[in-house]
Amino acid sequence: MWYLESYDNQTDLIAGSYLLLAITGDEIRELIDVDESELPLEMGPYPVALADVPKFAKYYRGRFQNQLRS
């Protein structure tokens, strides 16, 4: 299973976790432009720019909550 997680920058703790449904490692590679060569994509902390979060919407049921603090 793949999750998109948001972090609280002040505490470095997970602020939100969103289960991504029916997404493959290849689709993750395309969405976040990660190159792990021919190896299976390992689940890990890959940074996702805030502007790229909407790309994940079709894989998530529900709404993303704004977890940003100014």
Side-chain angles (χ1 to χ4, degrees):
M1 283 193 233
W2 291 92
Y3 290 86
L4 183 64
E5 297 174 332
S6 62
Y7 288 84
D8 182 308
N9 289 333
Q10 293 177 346
T11 65
D12 204 29
L13 297 174
I14 295 173
S17 185
Y18 307 95
L19 174 62
L20 301 175
L21 304 171
I23 192 167
T24 66
D26 289 336
E27 290 169 314
I28 294 286
R29 287 179 206 265
E30 287 183 31
L31 290 173
I32 63 174
D33 192 30
V34 83
D35 181 18
E36 295 282 334
S37 301
E38 297 299 316
L39 300 173
L41 187 62
E42 302 242 350
M43 291 190 196
Y46 297 102
V48 175
L50 187 57
D52 290 336
V53 170
K55 294 178 184 178
F56 292 86
K58 74 179 188 177
Y59 302 103
Y60 176 70
R61 289 197 182 139
R63 295 181 59 165
F64 292 120
Q65 297 176 6
N66 185 358
Q67 301 291 337
L68 299 178
R69 294 183 184 185
S70 50

